[in-house]
Amino acid sequence: EVQLVESGGGLVQPGESLRLSCAASGFTFSNFAMSWVRQAPGRGLEWVSGLSGNGVGIYYADSVKGRFTVSRDNSKNTLYLQMNSLRAEDTAIYSCARNVLSWGGSPMDYWGQGTVVTVSS
Amino acid sequence: EVVMTQSPAALSVSPGERATLSCRASQSVYSNLAWYQQKPGLSPRLLINDTSARATGIPARFSGSGSGTEFTLTISSLQSEDSAIYYCQQYYNWPPLTFGGGTQVEIK
């Protein structure tokens, strides 16, 4: 059974940092691209970042480029999102999702339950 | 960036009736279009990919059609459990992957 479990969310002040993790199980992790998608309270879905299965292809939304860094450790079946210089508008539920292909230009067929990030002073 | 626009924003349909949801792309995404269902408090579930291919385990009452810039998700006979928000997403011109704003489907 495919499982994705996020952790690392919390309440931080503007300008601070957080590191999210997504532990994957039930599939060959390195065969699939992975994405981070966020959903602000009462809002729709926003793709944040993606990473190819081999970790070479790295992609970001303009809204987080230069502040967020995505990475993966295929030996640990874990995806990460380092979030620096956080802003109030980054407040959202952050979910990791598995892309259906090894590269990021594909739909997402499994999603974690998400971890809540709140940026507030 | 490809902007995805969904209509209507909300839809109220009686059980057993047909629901038709629309999604428009600001430029052609060919057939690289997916649909997701999200129920309150839950993660999105992939319903349709490549415009019309149902994902594993998705009931046949869900169907997708369209190409280029105009797409449709049809729920042929609405069930009570279909009450949810439905999102379209393009994956042709990326990054970024982009989603529509969603259509809320309510059961009358």
Side-chain angles (χ1 to χ4, degrees), chain A residues 35 37 39 43-47 59-62 95 99-100 103-109 111-114, chain B residues 1 32 34 36 38 41-46 48-50 87 89 91-92 94-101:
Chain A
S35 290
V37 178
Q39 190 165 28
R43 305 292 296 274
L45 302 169
E46 180 189 13
W47 176 85
Y59 310 96
Y60 299 100
D62 285 347
S95 298
N99 291 85
V100 302
W103 56 290
S106 57
M108 291 156 276
D109 58 354
W111 298 62
Q113 285 302 301
Chain B
E1 172 176 326
N32 290 14
Y36 299 85
Q38 187 178 31
L42 297 181
S43 298
R45 177 172 73 148
L46 178 65
I48 301 279
N49 62 295
D50 295 342
Y87 295 95
Q89 179 229 330
Y91 48 97
Y92 176 75
W94 68 284
L97 300 173
T98 49
F99 293 89

Side-chain angles (χ1 to χ4, degrees), chain B:
Chain B
E1 172 176 326
V2 180
V3 177
M4 307 300 291
T5 303
Q6 291 186 241
S7 61
L11 188 59
S12 184
V13 180
S14 299
E17 296 294 302
R18 176 187 300 257
T20 303
L21 288 66
S22 296
C23 175
R24 174 176 292 179
S26 60
Q27 59 188 267
S28 178
V29 299
Y30 295 86
S31 62
N32 290 14
L33 192 284
W35 290 92
Y36 299 85
Q37 176 194 65
Q38 187 178 31
K39 297 182 179 181
L42 297 181
S43 298
R45 177 172 73 148
L46 178 65
L47 295 177
I48 301 279
N49 62 295
D50 295 342
T51 297
S52 59
R54 278 189 300 276
T56 303
I58 301 304
R61 65 180 182 274
F62 292 92
S63 63
S65 63
S67 67
T69 61
E70 301 282 345
F71 300 89
T72 300
L73 175 69
T74 301
I75 311 172
S76 60
S77 178
L78 205 70
Q79 308 295 307
S80 57
E81 63 265 30
D82 300 333
S83 177
I85 300 175
Y86 293 83
Y87 295 95
C88 62
Q89 179 229 330
Q90 69 84 23
Y91 48 97
Y92 176 75
N93 191 335
W94 68 284
L97 300 173
T98 49
F99 293 89
T103 292
Q104 170 85 61
V105 173
E106 173 195 276
I107 312 299
K108 278 185 183 175

